[in-house]
Amino acid sequence: MGDPGSGRDESEIQRLDRNLSELLQELRVALPGVQVLFAFLLTIPFNQRFALLTTAQERIYLATLLITTIAAVLLIAPTAYHRITFRKQQKAHLVLLANRLAIVGLGFLALAMSGVVLLITDFLFNTVVTVACTAFAALMFVTFWYALPLLRRVSLEDDERRFGFDDD
């Protein structure tokens, strides 16, 4: 009945429902962040101080705006995909695709947030502060959003190979 590797007594349909529900809950955490960042970036050009930006800062702004747009598209895409394929028995494909879109979308969100740190610190401070703050922000995203989970995944896969079990 259940997936022997998950340790749960559930059918494939129940597992897909649970996986989709968990994924949607996770996206509900990320989406407000990308929406607030996008709104912030949309209001910047209407600020009087926007005219004080250097050409390099304007390029950083544009790149960050576009990266934020990509993050929003990728993080919202599973909702549109689900609505369009509703009742077409596509849940397994949706879960797989949405997982990939979320991972890539979070990467773009990390880039966008690092871009905002770069833009603001470059506007307000000197080069040393800008480099330090941007590098710190990027390092935090890489560490907590990717490195730690990937290290744990590798460790679990090693355990699975050695001991023959899966910890879902």
Side-chain angles (χ1 to χ4, degrees):
M1 168 158 184
D3 176 9
S6 73
R8 297 172 188 259
D9 187 24
E10 58 188 1
S11 69
E12 177 70 10
I13 291 171
Q14 290 170 324
R15 184 182 64 80
L16 288 171
D17 286 342
R18 178 179 55 80
N19 289 165
L20 182 59
S21 178
E22 289 172 358
L23 180 63
L24 292 175
Q25 284 297 100
E26 293 162 1
L27 290 174
R28 285 186 186 109
V29 171
L31 280 172
V34 77
Q35 290 169 326
V36 168
L37 180 58
F38 195 61
F40 166 73
L41 290 169
L42 292 177
T43 62
I44 287 177
F46 301 104
N47 185 310
Q48 292 176 346
R49 292 184 68 187
F50 189 77
L52 301 176
L53 265 60
T54 65
T55 302
Q57 290 167 339
E58 288 174 353
R59 289 181 179 147
I60 293 167
Y61 167 79
L62 178 60
T64 303
L65 178 65
L66 294 175
I67 290 168
T68 303
T69 302
I70 293 168
V73 167
L74 293 172
L75 293 172
I76 296 170
T79 301
Y81 190 94
H82 183 253
R83 283 298 95 210
I84 292 169
T85 61
F86 185 66
R87 293 191 175 166
K88 296 296 181 189
Q89 310 306 315
Q90 294 299 300
K91 194 169 287 184
H93 183 72
L94 170 62
V95 169
L96 180 67
L97 178 65
N99 181 61
R100 291 176 179 165
L101 290 170
I103 291 168
V104 175
L106 287 170
F108 275 96
L109 179 56
L111 285 173
M113 293 173 76
S114 297
V116 167
V117 170
L118 173 63
L119 178 63
I120 292 171
T121 56
D122 191 55
F123 185 76
L124 296 175
F125 303 105
N126 61 42
T127 305
V128 174
V129 172
T130 300
V131 170
C133 289
T134 306
F136 178 74
L139 180 63
M140 296 297 287
F141 289 121
V142 168
T143 300
F144 291 103
W145 287 12
Y146 289 95
L148 289 178
L150 285 171
L151 287 172
R152 180 63 179 154
R153 184 179 182 112
V154 168
S155 171
L156 291 172
E157 288 171 356
D158 287 347
D159 287 350
E160 184 180 323
R161 277 192 295 277
R162 268 185 281 162
F163 303 114
F165 64 88
D166 183 12
D167 185 26
D168 184 19

Short mmCIF file of all heavy atoms in Angstrom, two decimals, residues 47-85:
data_model
loop_
_atom_site.label_atom_id
_atom_site.label_comp_id
_atom_site.label_asym_id
_atom_site.label_seq_id
_atom_site.Cartn_x
_atom_site.Cartn_y
_atom_site.Cartn_z
N ASN A 47 10.95 57.46 -6.05
CA ASN A 47 11.57 58.17 -4.93
C ASN A 47 12.46 59.27 -5.51
O ASN A 47 13.16 59.07 -6.50
CB ASN A 47 12.39 57.17 -4.11
CG ASN A 47 12.98 57.76 -2.87
OD1 ASN A 47 13.61 58.80 -2.91
ND2 ASN A 47 12.79 57.08 -1.76
N GLN A 48 12.48 60.41 -4.87
CA GLN A 48 13.27 61.55 -5.36
C GLN A 48 14.75 61.23 -5.43
O GLN A 48 15.46 61.73 -6.30
CB GLN A 48 13.04 62.77 -4.47
CG GLN A 48 11.66 63.34 -4.56
CD GLN A 48 11.44 64.47 -3.59
OE1 GLN A 48 12.23 64.69 -2.68
NE2 GLN A 48 10.36 65.20 -3.78
N ARG A 49 15.23 60.38 -4.54
CA ARG A 49 16.67 60.08 -4.51
C ARG A 49 17.10 59.11 -5.60
O ARG A 49 18.28 58.88 -5.81
CB ARG A 49 17.06 59.54 -3.13
CG ARG A 49 16.93 60.63 -2.05
CD ARG A 49 17.39 60.18 -0.73
NE ARG A 49 18.85 59.96 -0.71
CZ ARG A 49 19.49 59.44 0.30
NH1 ARG A 49 18.86 59.09 1.39
NH2 ARG A 49 20.79 59.26 0.24
N PHE A 50 16.14 58.53 -6.33
CA PHE A 50 16.47 57.61 -7.41
C PHE A 50 17.35 58.29 -8.46
O PHE A 50 18.22 57.67 -9.06
CB PHE A 50 15.20 57.06 -8.07
CG PHE A 50 15.46 55.95 -9.05
CD1 PHE A 50 15.74 54.66 -8.61
CD2 PHE A 50 15.41 56.17 -10.42
CE1 PHE A 50 15.98 53.62 -9.51
CE2 PHE A 50 15.64 55.14 -11.33
CZ PHE A 50 15.93 53.87 -10.87
N ALA A 51 17.13 59.58 -8.65
CA ALA A 51 17.93 60.33 -9.63
C ALA A 51 19.40 60.42 -9.24
O ALA A 51 20.26 60.69 -10.08
CB ALA A 51 17.35 61.74 -9.79
N LEU A 52 19.71 60.15 -7.97
CA LEU A 52 21.09 60.21 -7.49
C LEU A 52 21.87 58.93 -7.77
O LEU A 52 23.08 58.90 -7.55
CB LEU A 52 21.11 60.50 -5.98
CG LEU A 52 20.45 61.81 -5.53
CD1 LEU A 52 20.46 61.90 -4.00
CD2 LEU A 52 21.13 63.01 -6.16
N LEU A 53 21.20 57.89 -8.25
CA LEU A 53 21.89 56.63 -8.52
C LEU A 53 22.91 56.79 -9.64
O LEU A 53 22.67 57.52 -10.61
CB LEU A 53 20.89 55.54 -8.93
CG LEU A 53 20.39 54.60 -7.83
CD1 LEU A 53 19.68 55.33 -6.73
CD2 LEU A 53 19.52 53.53 -8.43
N THR A 54 24.03 56.13 -9.47
CA THR A 54 25.03 56.10 -10.54
C THR A 54 24.56 55.15 -11.64
O THR A 54 23.61 54.38 -11.44
CB THR A 54 26.39 55.61 -10.01
OG1 THR A 54 26.25 54.24 -9.60
CG2 THR A 54 26.88 56.46 -8.83
N THR A 55 25.22 55.16 -12.75
CA THR A 55 24.89 54.24 -13.84
C THR A 55 25.02 52.79 -13.37
O THR A 55 24.16 51.95 -13.67
CB THR A 55 25.79 54.50 -15.06
OG1 THR A 55 25.62 55.86 -15.47
CG2 THR A 55 25.45 53.58 -16.21
N ALA A 56 26.06 52.49 -12.62
CA ALA A 56 26.25 51.13 -12.10
C ALA A 56 25.10 50.74 -11.16
O ALA A 56 24.60 49.61 -11.23
CB ALA A 56 27.59 51.01 -11.38
N GLN A 57 24.68 51.66 -10.31
CA GLN A 57 23.58 51.38 -9.39
C GLN A 57 22.26 51.19 -10.14
O GLN A 57 21.45 50.35 -9.76
CB GLN A 57 23.45 52.49 -8.36
CG GLN A 57 24.60 52.52 -7.37
CD GLN A 57 24.65 53.79 -6.55
OE1 GLN A 57 24.10 54.83 -6.92
NE2 GLN A 57 25.34 53.71 -5.42
N GLU A 58 22.07 51.94 -11.21
CA GLU A 58 20.87 51.76 -12.04
C GLU A 58 20.86 50.36 -12.66
O GLU A 58 19.82 49.71 -12.75
CB GLU A 58 20.79 52.82 -13.13
CG GLU A 58 20.45 54.20 -12.60
CD GLU A 58 20.51 55.28 -13.67
OE1 GLU A 58 20.95 54.99 -14.82
OE2 GLU A 58 20.12 56.42 -13.37
N ARG A 59 22.03 49.91 -13.08
CA ARG A 59 22.13 48.56 -13.66
C ARG A 59 21.88 47.48 -12.60
O ARG A 59 21.25 46.46 -12.89
CB ARG A 59 23.49 48.37 -14.33
CG ARG A 59 23.60 49.19 -15.60
CD ARG A 59 24.92 49.00 -16.29
NE ARG A 59 24.93 49.80 -17.51
CZ ARG A 59 26.00 50.37 -18.01
NH1 ARG A 59 27.17 50.23 -17.42
NH2 ARG A 59 25.92 51.08 -19.11
N ILE A 60 22.41 47.71 -11.41
CA ILE A 60 22.16 46.78 -10.30
C ILE A 60 20.66 46.73 -10.01
O ILE A 60 20.08 45.66 -9.82
CB ILE A 60 22.95 47.17 -9.04
CG1 ILE A 60 24.45 47.01 -9.27
CG2 ILE A 60 22.49 46.36 -7.83
CD1 ILE A 60 25.31 47.65 -8.19
N TYR A 61 20.04 47.91 -10.01
CA TYR A 61 18.60 47.99 -9.77
C TYR A 61 17.83 47.19 -10.83
O TYR A 61 16.97 46.38 -10.50
CB TYR A 61 18.11 49.45 -9.77
CG TYR A 61 16.62 49.54 -9.83
CD1 TYR A 61 15.85 49.35 -8.68
CD2 TYR A 61 15.96 49.77 -11.03
CE1 TYR A 61 14.47 49.40 -8.74
CE2 TYR A 61 14.58 49.81 -11.10
CZ TYR A 61 13.84 49.63 -9.95
OH TYR A 61 12.48 49.65 -10.01
N LEU A 62 18.15 47.42 -12.09
CA LEU A 62 17.45 46.74 -13.17
C LEU A 62 17.65 45.22 -13.09
O LEU A 62 16.69 44.45 -13.20
CB LEU A 62 17.91 47.25 -14.53
CG LEU A 62 17.27 46.58 -15.75
CD1 LEU A 62 15.75 46.75 -15.73
CD2 LEU A 62 17.87 47.11 -17.03
N ALA A 63 18.87 44.80 -12.86
CA ALA A 63 19.15 43.36 -12.74
C ALA A 63 18.38 42.76 -11.57
O ALA A 63 17.79 41.68 -11.69
CB ALA A 63 20.65 43.12 -12.57
N THR A 64 18.36 43.45 -10.45
CA THR A 64 17.65 42.97 -9.27
C THR A 64 16.15 42.91 -9.52
O THR A 64 15.48 41.95 -9.12
CB THR A 64 17.97 43.85 -8.05
OG1 THR A 64 19.39 43.84 -7.85
CG2 THR A 64 17.29 43.35 -6.80
N LEU A 65 15.61 43.92 -10.20
CA LEU A 65 14.19 43.91 -10.54
C LEU A 65 13.85 42.72 -11.43
O LEU A 65 12.86 42.00 -11.20
CB LEU A 65 13.81 45.22 -11.25
CG LEU A 65 12.36 45.34 -11.71
CD1 LEU A 65 11.41 45.35 -10.52
CD2 LEU A 65 12.18 46.59 -12.55
N LEU A 66 14.68 42.46 -12.44
CA LEU A 66 14.43 41.33 -13.34
C LEU A 66 14.58 39.99 -12.62
O LEU A 66 13.78 39.06 -12.84
CB LEU A 66 15.36 41.41 -14.55
CG LEU A 66 15.11 42.60 -15.48
CD1 LEU A 66 16.16 42.66 -16.57
CD2 LEU A 66 13.71 42.57 -16.05
N ILE A 67 15.58 39.88 -11.77
CA ILE A 67 15.79 38.64 -11.00
C ILE A 67 14.61 38.40 -10.05
O ILE A 67 14.15 37.27 -9.88
CB ILE A 67 17.14 38.69 -10.24
CG1 ILE A 67 18.29 38.61 -11.25
CG2 ILE A 67 17.24 37.57 -9.22
CD1 ILE A 67 19.64 38.95 -10.65
N THR A 68 14.11 39.47 -9.45
CA THR A 68 12.94 39.36 -8.56
C THR A 68 11.72 38.91 -9.36
O THR A 68 10.92 38.08 -8.90
CB THR A 68 12.66 40.69 -7.86
OG1 THR A 68 13.83 41.10 -7.15
CG2 THR A 68 11.50 40.57 -6.88
N THR A 69 11.58 39.43 -10.57
CA THR A 69 10.48 39.02 -11.44
C THR A 69 10.57 37.53 -11.74
O THR A 69 9.56 36.81 -11.68
CB THR A 69 10.49 39.84 -12.74
OG1 THR A 69 10.41 41.24 -12.42
CG2 THR A 69 9.35 39.46 -13.66
N ILE A 70 11.76 37.06 -12.06
CA ILE A 70 11.95 35.63 -12.33
C ILE A 70 11.60 34.80 -11.10
O ILE A 70 10.91 33.77 -11.20
CB ILE A 70 13.40 35.36 -12.79
CG1 ILE A 70 13.65 36.01 -14.15
CG2 ILE A 70 13.67 33.85 -12.86
CD1 ILE A 70 15.11 36.05 -14.56
N ALA A 71 12.03 35.24 -9.93
CA ALA A 71 11.71 34.52 -8.69
C ALA A 71 10.20 34.44 -8.49
O ALA A 71 9.67 33.38 -8.17
CB ALA A 71 12.38 35.20 -7.49
N ALA A 72 9.52 35.56 -8.70
CA ALA A 72 8.06 35.57 -8.54
C ALA A 72 7.39 34.62 -9.52
O ALA A 72 6.50 33.85 -9.15
CB ALA A 72 7.53 37.00 -8.71
N VAL A 73 7.82 34.66 -10.76
CA VAL A 73 7.25 33.78 -11.78
C VAL A 73 7.44 32.32 -11.39
O VAL A 73 6.49 31.52 -11.43
CB VAL A 73 7.88 34.06 -13.16
CG1 VAL A 73 7.55 32.96 -14.16
CG2 VAL A 73 7.44 35.42 -13.69
N LEU A 74 8.64 31.95 -11.00
CA LEU A 74 8.93 30.55 -10.67
C LEU A 74 8.18 30.08 -9.43
O LEU A 74 7.72 28.93 -9.37
CB LEU A 74 10.43 30.35 -10.49
CG LEU A 74 11.26 30.53 -11.76
CD1 LEU A 74 12.75 30.50 -11.42
CD2 LEU A 74 10.93 29.48 -12.80
N LEU A 75 8.06 30.95 -8.42
CA LEU A 75 7.40 30.55 -7.18
C LEU A 75 5.88 30.52 -7.31
O LEU A 75 5.21 29.79 -6.58
CB LEU A 75 7.84 31.47 -6.04
CG LEU A 75 9.30 31.33 -5.63
CD1 LEU A 75 9.69 32.42 -4.63
CD2 LEU A 75 9.60 29.95 -5.07
N ILE A 76 5.34 31.30 -8.24
CA ILE A 76 3.89 31.32 -8.44
C ILE A 76 3.45 30.32 -9.51
O ILE A 76 2.31 29.88 -9.54
CB ILE A 76 3.43 32.76 -8.78
CG1 ILE A 76 3.69 33.68 -7.58
CG2 ILE A 76 1.95 32.80 -9.15
CD1 ILE A 76 3.50 35.16 -7.87
N ALA A 77 4.36 29.91 -10.37
CA ALA A 77 4.05 29.01 -11.48
C ALA A 77 3.31 27.73 -11.07
O ALA A 77 2.38 27.31 -11.79
CB ALA A 77 5.31 28.66 -12.26
N PRO A 78 3.67 27.08 -9.95
CA PRO A 78 2.93 25.86 -9.59
C PRO A 78 1.42 26.09 -9.42
O PRO A 78 0.62 25.21 -9.74
CB PRO A 78 3.57 25.42 -8.27
CG PRO A 78 4.96 25.96 -8.35
CD PRO A 78 4.82 27.28 -9.06
N THR A 79 1.04 27.26 -8.95
CA THR A 79 -0.38 27.57 -8.78
C THR A 79 -1.07 27.63 -10.14
O THR A 79 -2.13 27.03 -10.33
CB THR A 79 -0.54 28.91 -8.04
OG1 THR A 79 0.10 28.80 -6.77
CG2 THR A 79 -2.01 29.25 -7.84
N ALA A 80 -0.46 28.33 -11.08
CA ALA A 80 -1.05 28.43 -12.42
C ALA A 80 -1.09 27.06 -13.09
O ALA A 80 -2.09 26.68 -13.70
CB ALA A 80 -0.25 29.41 -13.26
N TYR A 81 -0.01 26.31 -12.94
CA TYR A 81 0.06 24.97 -13.54
C TYR A 81 -1.06 24.08 -12.97
O TYR A 81 -1.74 23.38 -13.73
CB TYR A 81 1.42 24.35 -13.25
CG TYR A 81 1.68 23.08 -14.03
CD1 TYR A 81 2.35 23.11 -15.24
CD2 TYR A 81 1.26 21.85 -13.54
CE1 TYR A 81 2.59 21.96 -15.96
CE2 TYR A 81 1.48 20.69 -14.25
CZ TYR A 81 2.15 20.75 -15.45
OH TYR A 81 2.38 19.60 -16.16
N HIS A 82 -1.24 24.14 -11.66
CA HIS A 82 -2.28 23.33 -11.02
C HIS A 82 -3.66 23.73 -11.51
O HIS A 82 -4.51 22.88 -11.80
CB HIS A 82 -2.18 23.46 -9.50
CG HIS A 82 -3.17 22.61 -8.78
ND1 HIS A 82 -4.26 23.13 -8.15
CD2 HIS A 82 -3.23 21.26 -8.60
CE1 HIS A 82 -4.97 22.15 -7.60
NE2 HIS A 82 -4.36 21.00 -7.86
N ARG A 83 -3.92 25.02 -11.61
CA ARG A 83 -5.23 25.48 -12.06
C ARG A 83 -5.51 25.03 -13.49
O ARG A 83 -6.61 24.59 -13.81
CB ARG A 83 -5.34 27.01 -12.00
CG ARG A 83 -5.56 27.59 -10.64
CD ARG A 83 -6.87 27.15 -9.99
NE ARG A 83 -6.64 26.00 -9.12
CZ ARG A 83 -7.53 25.04 -8.86
NH1 ARG A 83 -8.72 25.06 -9.35
NH2 ARG A 83 -7.22 24.03 -8.09
N ILE A 84 -4.53 25.14 -14.35
CA ILE A 84 -4.73 24.81 -15.76
C ILE A 84 -4.86 23.31 -15.98
O ILE A 84 -5.61 22.85 -16.84
CB ILE A 84 -3.62 25.43 -16.63
CG1 ILE A 84 -3.78 26.96 -16.61
CG2 ILE A 84 -3.65 24.90 -18.05
CD1 ILE A 84 -2.62 27.71 -17.21
N THR A 85 -4.15 22.52 -15.19
CA THR A 85 -4.21 21.06 -15.35
C THR A 85 -5.14 20.40 -14.35
O THR A 85 -5.14 19.17 -14.21
CB THR A 85 -2.80 20.43 -15.22
OG1 THR A 85 -2.28 20.71 -13.92
CG2 THR A 85 -1.86 20.98 -16.30
#
